Each structure stands twice: as structure tokens, then as C-alpha cells.
């Protein structure tokens, strides 16, 4: 298939107008990023993945070029928005979903609720359990302080520490800068609502696993205390076609922290699922 030029769309959805960029060639893959970063977080793997897939890169509510949230929303709302985006782009064939943290959670809901639209699912750093009490004790005060103070230095540092390993923060300063840029640029009220919706309000998703029919890979960062390789393996055992993997040297943003390992894992997974070329976004 011929290469597709980059196109950028502002797509109206029930969670607001979302910025969507389409690039690459081949079958369609949807990429939804983690909380606290935007679609730029795929930049270290984008070229390699775009050689095999037409990438639909979505900025979630209150992130990147998308509209700030104006009210609380659910993962189901985000999954419905993804379906709206694919419909407006003219994508009718099943897609490969690649989601980081928040994006993986949206992907699970999408795969369970719209099974006919998904060919495979890769969820990276996406715990299926709701926040544990010890995690809430650490995170809830930071969210409250963000609401009061905005993205002050210690909050930015705490978020970067939670997402990235110390080695990556030292060797790849651009990764931490991406986190701080997103926090600095975001609408404060919208971002606060998004943190409450996508993080504090995230339900236990364990019950969804048995409803996901598509081949699914659950990926853990080797240094992610919230989602370990053992946890991912246990969850994968509850899937109809599940497998688990870990990426050493990463915490929560493996596509940024370990791009070569990430790309190898995803492309091998795609090859194993036997995906064939399918129609792409309309007009591409």
C-alpha cells in the first residue's frame, strides 16, 4: 500500500472535540496515550509502527490539541468517542488498538463493548484493578493540590517520577519535559476533571476480561510497582486469547523509555495475530 500523508482532524465527540492525527500505511491501528502525556509520547516508535499500520493517534480529553473536559466522564465515554472517530474517518474494518495506561483501559472497554471493531489489543502499563488504598493515599492529595496550585514544580516532579525510571529521566530529559509540557499547557479545570475521571474514578476492569475476544497482550514495565509482570500474567490468564510480557528498563511509558523493545514486541504481536491488510481511513 502507498504511504499516507499526515492529516490532522478535530473530531467532535461526546467528550469534546478531540485532535486526531492519521499517518502511515496498511491496516489501521488506534493509539491512545497515557494520562499526563499526549500523542507526542509515541514519537520514538511512530516511524517504525507507521511502516506497518495506518496510525490513528488520538489526544484524549484535556490533552494535547483536544478540548478540555467540561464534566466528569467514563472509560465507556472514551471508548464511544473512539468509535465516533473511526466512523468519521471512514474506518469500517476492525483495528489494532495500542493503548498506554489510560489508553489501554479505554482499549479494554472498547474491545469488550465493540468487539466487531477490534482485531487485536495491546495494553501497556494498564492495571485492571482500581487504585489500591495505598495508591489513593499517595495520589489523591496530589490531585487536590493540583486543583489548588496548578502544575507547580513538586507536582510535575512527582508525576514524572511516577511515570519514568530515574535512568530515563537522566538520559532522556525530553521525556520528562513532555510530561511537564502537558501539565503546563493544560486547562487546569479540564485536567483536574480528567484526572478524576480517568484515574481516581477508574473502576475495576477485571470483570471485562472474559468479554474480550480479540487477541490481547498485556504489557508491564519492568520497574512499574502498580502493574507487575506477575499481575499482567495473571490477568492475561483470564482472557480468551491473552498473553503477557514485560519490558525491562521501563516504568509506565514503555514507548518512550524502551522504544526498540516496545516496537519489537508490538510488531511481533501483530504478526502473530495474522492481521491482513484491510481498508484504511477514508480519503487516505
Amino acid at each position: 500500500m502507498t504511504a499516507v500523508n499526515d492529516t490532522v482532524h478535530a473530531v467532535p465527540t461526546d467528550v469534546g472535540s478531540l485532535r486526531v492525527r492519521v499517518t502511515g500505511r496498511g491496516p489501521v491501528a488506534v493509539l491512545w496515550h497515557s494520562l499526563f502525556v499526549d500523542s507526542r509520547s509515541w514519537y520514538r516508535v511512530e516511524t517504525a509502527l507507521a511502516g506497518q499500520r495506518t496510525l490513528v493517534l488520538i489526544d484524549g480529553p484535556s490533552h494535547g490539541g483536544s478540548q478540555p473536559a467540561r464534566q466528569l466522564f467514563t472509560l465507556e465515554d472514551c471508548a464511544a468517542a473512539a468509535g465516533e472517530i473511526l466512523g468519521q474517518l471512514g474506518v469500517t474494518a476492525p483495528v489494532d488498538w495500542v493503548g498506554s495506561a489510560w489508553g489501554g483501559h479505554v482499549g479494554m472497554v472498547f474491545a469488550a463493548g465493540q468487539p466487531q471493531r477490534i482485531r487485536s489489543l495491546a495494553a501497556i502499563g494498564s492495571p485492571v484493578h482500581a487504585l489500591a488504598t495505598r495508591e489513593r493515599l499517595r495520589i489523591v492529595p496530589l490531585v487536590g493540590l493540583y486543583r489548588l496550585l496548578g502544575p507547580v514544580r513538586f507536582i510535575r516532579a512527582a508525576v514524572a517520577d511516577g511515570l519514568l525510571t530515574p535512568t530515563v529521566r537522566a538520559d532522556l530529559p525530553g521525556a520528562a519535559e513532555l510530561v511537564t509540557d502537558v501539565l503546563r499547557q493544560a486547562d487546569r479545570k479540564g485536567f483536574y476533571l480528567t484526572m478524576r475521571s480517568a484515574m481516581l474514578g477508574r473502576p475495576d476492569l477485571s470483570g471485562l476480561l472474559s468479554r474480550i475476544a480479540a487477541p490481547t497482550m498485556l504489557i508491564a514495565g519492568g520497574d512499574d510497582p502498580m502493574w507487575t509482570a506477575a499481575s499482567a500474567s495473571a490477568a492475561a490468564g483470564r482472557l480468551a486469547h491473552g498473553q503477557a510480557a514485560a519490558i525491562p528498563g521501563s516504568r509506565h511509558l514503555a514507548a518512550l523509555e524502551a522504544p526498540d523493545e516496545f516496537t519489537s514486541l508490538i510488531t511481533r504481536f501483530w504478526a502473530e495475530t495474522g492481521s491482513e491488510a484491510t481498508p484504511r481511513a477514508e480519503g487516505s
Side-chain angles (χ1 to χ4, degrees):
M1 286 191 169
T2 57
V4 180
N5 293 326
D6 275 12
T7 57
V8 177
H9 310 261
V11 182
T13 75
D14 285 344
V15 294
S17 176
L18 302 184
R19 181 185 187 272
V20 180
R21 186 164 65 88
V22 181
T23 187
R25 68 176 75 195
V28 173
V30 174
L31 276 62
W32 190 304
H33 56 82
S34 170
L35 196 66
F36 301 111
V37 295
D38 56 30
S39 57
R40 292 175 293 169
S41 60
W42 305 107
Y43 82 95
R44 301 190 79 194
V45 301
E46 181 182 316
T47 299
L49 298 184
Q52 300 189 33
R53 293 291 188 274
T54 298
L55 306 181
V56 176
L57 301 110
I58 300 172
D59 279 346
S62 307
H63 288 68
S66 292
Q67 277 188 336
R70 294 306 178 203
Q71 60 188 15
L72 295 174
F73 57 84
T74 65
L75 293 175
E76 286 78 10
D77 294 332
C78 293
E84 292 178 77
I85 288 168
L86 293 174
Q88 293 188 52
L89 292 177
V91 178
T92 57
V95 302
D96 297 300
W97 187 287
V98 181
S100 177
W102 177 24
H105 296 136
V106 177
M108 293 176 199
V109 173
F110 185 84
Q114 303 183 55
Q116 75 284 1
R117 305 190 78 164
I118 194 157
R119 181 172 48 241
S120 72
L121 166 64
I124 305 96
S126 304
V128 299
H129 58 269
L131 288 178
T133 300
R134 66 181 181 280
E135 294 163 351
R136 285 188 171 274
L137 290 174
R138 176 172 56 87
I139 293 171
V140 170
L142 285 173
V143 173
L145 287 169
Y146 172 85
R147 184 185 187 188
L148 292 173
L149 305 174
V152 294
R153 183 187 297 272
F154 79 88
I155 291 178
R156 300 197 308 268
V159 171
D161 180 62
L163 296 180
L164 304 164
T165 66
T167 299
V168 169
R169 294 201 308 276
D171 294 346
L172 188 68
E177 289 170 6
L178 175 57
V179 175
T180 58
D181 281 349
V182 170
L183 281 168
R184 283 196 188 103
Q185 295 168 9
D187 175 89
R188 189 191 298 186
K189 179 180 179 181
F191 209 85
Y192 169 71
L193 289 170
T194 299
M195 286 191 287
R196 285 186 57 192
S197 300
M199 183 169 59
L200 300 185
R202 173 169 55 82
D204 189 306
L205 299 176
S206 302
L208 281 184
L209 299 179
S210 63
R211 294 167 47 197
I212 297 175
T216 299
M217 176 179 282
L218 303 178
I219 302 172
D223 190 30
D224 186 350
M226 294 178 66
W227 186 236
T228 65
S231 298
S233 181
R238 302 178 63 178
L239 291 157
H241 304 286
Q243 57 182 290
I247 299 181
S250 68
R251 181 164 290 174
H252 211 61
L253 299 177
L256 267 178
E257 298 175 287
D260 292 342
E261 294 83 352
F262 179 93
T263 300
S264 176
L265 199 59
I266 295 297
T267 55
R268 186 167 66 246
F269 173 59
W270 284 344
E272 290 171 356
T273 64
S275 301
E276 298 179 353
T278 55
R280 297 171 292 159
E282 190 174 78
S284 54

